[in-house]
Amino acid sequence: MVHGKYGSAADNTLYVSGGGISHHQLWGLGGDDVLYGWTKKNPGLDTDDSLYGDRVPVPLSNEIQYNSSTTPPGVPGDDVIYGGGGNDKLYGDGGNDLLFGDKAFGGYSAPSGRDTLDGGEGNDWLYGGGGNDSLMGGEGDDYLDGAFGGSTSEVDTLTGGGGADTFGLGYTGSYTEIKYLGSGYAIITDFNKYGYWEGDKIRIGGSIDNYTLDKSQNFAGSSALDTAIYRYGDLIAVVQDTTNVLTWRDFV
């Protein structure tokens, strides 16, 4: 059974309904919305949900129907969307959106799933969390971060889309975080340093001197060689179908 809720042209906060329903849909419509893939009383709810920031709803059978004449979709807003547990699909659509495949907090203890995140238009921030996730930035200058830090066995697919995108493999600042330690790694499908609209970067954790590049193998994609990124011999990421990657130029 699928259950749907929709917001309005204003700023909305929507939670899924729970109640034994296995698949929920939330439609924020216009405005700066916050969508949660769990109920107010059950933040650990584990269902497969589809959450949309701005687009007009598709009619659902046996549910309250969306009426554009009484609830106009409004202007696309800057939305915050949390998937929670389960295998969720999150769509930011227009605006500068913030998408979390799982809960934003809780680290490895948070419910996780194989999530699909699509930022759509705008400069979006996408965080996959746990599980083998697929992140697509869409148009705009996006940040894509597939995993929690530390050891993991997950394999995430990161596709920036148009714009100058940043692919997160770690962080160095007030603390240092290294992602994809262990058997897990990220697959970056469309890294592009050059081009009129491009200028992609790869964000790492720790010293750049700890990383090496191997451009002799074909892991994924077409028959073209890939660039494998290693940290102390541990595979962290694969930049698919290109060997035009340089640590000094492309790492931040």
Side-chain angles (χ1 to χ4, degrees):
M1 179 180 179
V2 178
H3 185 270
K5 290 182 179 179
Y6 58 87
S8 67
D11 301 341
N12 304 286
T13 298
L14 300 177
Y15 292 82
V16 301
S17 298
I21 298 169
S22 60
H23 188 140
H24 304 85
Q25 294 184 351
L26 299 182
W27 311 78
L29 302 181
D32 301 337
D33 305 311
V34 181
L35 311 181
Y36 295 95
W38 59 83
T39 68
K40 287 185 178 180
K41 295 183 178 180
N42 184 11
L45 187 68
D46 189 358
T47 55
D48 302 337
D49 308 315
S50 299
L51 286 68
Y52 304 85
D54 300 303
R55 72 183 65 179
V56 176
V58 175
L60 300 174
S61 60
N62 302 319
E63 298 293 339
I64 299 174
Q65 297 300 303
Y66 171 74
N67 187 336
S68 60
S69 63
T70 57
T71 309
V75 177
D78 301 335
D79 306 311
V80 181
I81 305 178
Y82 303 89
N87 304 324
D88 304 312
K89 297 179 180 179
L90 282 59
Y91 303 90
D93 298 320
N96 302 323
D97 306 307
L98 179 59
L99 278 60
F100 297 94
D102 304 320
K103 292 183 67 176
F105 306 103
Y108 291 107
S109 64
S112 64
R114 298 185 300 276
D115 305 312
T116 300
L117 283 63
D118 186 341
E121 297 182 358
N123 303 327
D124 307 306
W125 293 70
L126 281 60
Y127 295 88
N132 299 333
D133 303 314
S134 177
L135 280 60
M136 296 164 284
E139 296 298 321
D141 301 339
D142 306 307
Y143 175 73
L144 292 80
D145 187 320
F148 297 121
S151 180
T152 180
S153 60
E154 68 186 80
V155 178
D156 298 316
T157 302
L158 313 180
T159 302
D165 303 308
T166 300
F167 302 93
L169 304 181
Y171 174 75
T172 300
S174 58
Y175 63 94
T176 298
E177 179 183 57
I178 312 296
K179 298 179 182 293
Y180 300 107
L181 298 175
S183 60
Y185 58 93
I187 300 175
I188 300 172
T189 68
D190 65 340
F191 185 80
N192 190 346
K193 175 60 186 177
Y194 298 111
Y196 185 75
W197 292 109
E198 300 294 332
D200 296 340
K201 295 291 184 180
I202 297 172
R203 197 181 79 176
I204 62 169
S207 172
I208 194 174
D209 297 330
N210 299 333
Y211 292 84
T212 57
L213 306 180
D214 181 352
K215 304 180 181 182
S216 65
Q217 302 181 66
N218 180 16
F219 288 85
S222 72
S223 59
L225 292 177
D226 305 321
T227 299
I229 302 174
Y230 290 91
R231 181 181 183 272
Y232 291 130
D234 185 353
L235 179 64
I236 301 296
V238 173
V239 185
Q240 182 177 295
D241 294 339
T242 182
T243 57
N244 186 19
V245 180
L246 300 172
T247 56
W248 62 266
R249 182 191 66 190
D250 303 324
F251 284 16
V252 293

